[in-house]
Amino acid sequence: MPELPEVETVRRGLQPVMEGSTIVRAEARRKDLRFPFQKDFVARLEGQTVTGLGRRAKYLLADLASGDVLLMHLGMSGSFRVIEGGDQKAPGKFHHPRAEDRAHDHVVFHMSSGAAVVFNDPRRFGYMKIIARHALEGEPLLSGLGPEPLGNEFDAAMLARSCANKKTSLKAALLDQRVVAGLGNIYVCEALYRSQLSPRRLAATLATKAGSRNGVTAGQRESVAGGEPTDHAKHLVNAIHAVLNQAIKAGGSSLRDHRQTSGELGYFQHSFQVYDREGEKCQTAGCSGTVRRFTQNGRSTFWCPKCQK
């Protein structure tokens, strides 16, 4: 499933053709994707100007002049392509080319700029929903999400506070969208590797025990719900920031079906330091270890047992 960098890449590709333009005509070519379309789905879109195109975790959010918000999720195989004057491009990048079967073009937005924005989804795990802006905060799909990993709120103290009392593994905690929004298997593996932390490490070790450090006031201890962020937490947050920014700059990871709206494939997979490198020599300077893979919470985990502790 596309992760935060891929969705952000798609957002940036769609922004120039959607933001500030009006949806002259909308087509929903079937009654449902993963979920049924709302009965008034098309009616609430047509004639509306897209005033902004944002992202929350792995969701795209198109603000409409009416006060509604169009929420869009790519699912497993969803992609957008933009058709302008006979030319086609698709924002987002993946390793394996997408299917070109136009029978899976399920939603089309005809914009006042003359461009057509087409959503293609062979597996139909993607979905779209229109939500009133004032109801967005209470929307079940969004209400439980944690902080954005590239936002100002996400820092070592917040991560430590979220993990202080968890009995799960560190990797499982990072994949929990309530702890931090938008991270997925690839970037969690990469961030843990870069911060030299084991995916099996207990998440609670990111916070010190309350009162364990001299000079810490009661108020400070309470602020991190059981202790201060450890150096591990600080290194991990820095690694998360670095890997996400690098992946966004590279246009995402080209895995399975992901493409940019330009149609080009991503190349961050060429920068993987641990993901999908089972059996290869560890790239950490001075480490003689070998990258291993094991299944964790139903997902493949790649790590170096020698330098990740």
Side-chain angles (χ1 to χ4, degrees):
M1 183 176 292
E3 300 181 25
L4 185 154
E6 289 77 52
V7 179
E8 177 62 20
T9 301
V10 171
R11 186 196 71 79
R12 294 182 184 189
L14 291 176
Q15 190 174 28
V17 296
M18 292 193 74
E19 201 168 84
S21 186
T22 299
I23 303 173
V24 176
R25 184 163 63 93
E27 296 180 65
R29 295 179 174 176
R30 52 179 299 115
K31 294 181 179 180
D32 59 4
L33 291 173
R34 183 174 178 182
F35 308 121
F37 287 113
Q38 294 149 299
K39 292 182 179 180
D40 58 353
F41 180 78
V42 168
R44 289 172 71 177
L45 292 176
E46 291 186 337
Q48 294 302 319
T49 298
V50 178
T51 59
L53 187 63
R55 179 193 54 76
R56 177 71 170 108
K58 301 175 185 179
Y59 295 97
L60 293 169
L61 300 171
D63 281 286
L64 306 177
S66 62
D68 283 335
V69 177
L70 171 62
L71 178 147
M72 299 173 281
H73 194 284
L74 297 173
M76 296 292 290
S77 62
S79 68
F80 285 95
R81 75 179 187 279
V82 177
I83 304 173
E84 287 185 287
D87 295 328
Q88 299 190 39
K89 55 184 179 180
K93 302 185 176 183
F94 272 95
H95 185 55
H96 299 295
R98 264 191 202 286
E100 298 295 331
D101 190 347
R102 300 309 182 222
H104 301 302
D105 289 350
H106 300 311
V107 181
V108 183
F109 305 125
H110 299 272
M111 310 303 296
S112 59
S113 62
V117 177
V118 182
F119 181 68
N120 181 287
D121 189 2
R123 300 184 191 179
R124 300 202 306 274
F125 283 125
Y127 48 93
M128 297 185 184
K129 182 179 182 180
I130 300 175
I131 308 162
R133 166 55 71 176
H134 65 79
L136 205 60
E137 188 173 334
E139 168 56 40
L141 293 170
L142 302 174
S143 59
L145 292 175
E148 288 288 322
L150 293 177
N152 293 331
E153 293 182 359
F154 182 71
D155 57 16
M158 171 168 278
L159 183 58
R161 183 167 60 247
S162 297
C163 293
N165 299 312
K166 287 190 175 295
K167 297 180 180 180
T168 60
S169 69
L170 185 50
K171 186 186 178 191
L174 293 176
L175 289 175
D176 185 343
Q177 299 299 294
R178 295 167 298 180
V179 173
V180 55
L183 291 183
N185 194 45
I186 296 171
Y187 298 107
V188 169
C189 285
E190 288 292 311
L192 288 172
Y193 176 77
R194 295 181 187 208
S195 55
Q196 297 191 328
L197 296 177
S198 168
R200 289 189 168 111
R201 170 185 282 273
L202 286 177
T205 60
L206 294 186
T208 63
K209 292 182 179 180
S212 65
R213 192 172 292 186
N214 293 331
V216 179
T217 67
Q220 289 172 326
R221 288 197 297 272
E222 183 180 354
S223 70
V224 290
E228 291 183 315
T230 63
D231 288 341
H232 294 316
K234 297 172 185 177
H235 293 325
L236 180 55
V237 167
N238 288 338
I240 290 170
H241 287 160
V243 74
L244 290 180
N245 282 318
Q246 185 181 355
I248 291 170
K249 185 177 179 180
S253 300
S254 296
L255 293 174
R256 295 195 178 92
D257 297 322
H258 179 62
R259 276 184 187 271
Q260 295 189 83
T261 50
S262 64
E264 299 174 354
L265 295 177
Y267 53 90
F268 183 71
Q269 75 277 6
H270 301 305
S271 299
F272 288 164
Q273 294 183 14
V274 69
Y275 188 86
D276 206 23
R277 290 185 174 272
E278 182 183 10
E280 296 184 21
K281 184 181 182 301
C282 176
Q283 294 187 15
T284 299
C287 181
S288 59
T290 301
V291 175
R292 303 297 183 193
R293 181 185 71 84
F294 69 97
T295 301
Q296 189 177 25
N297 302 110
R299 307 295 299 277
S300 289
T301 294
F302 297 89
W303 72 311
C304 174
K306 187 165 186 177
C307 69
Q308 287 180 255
K309 303 298 182 181

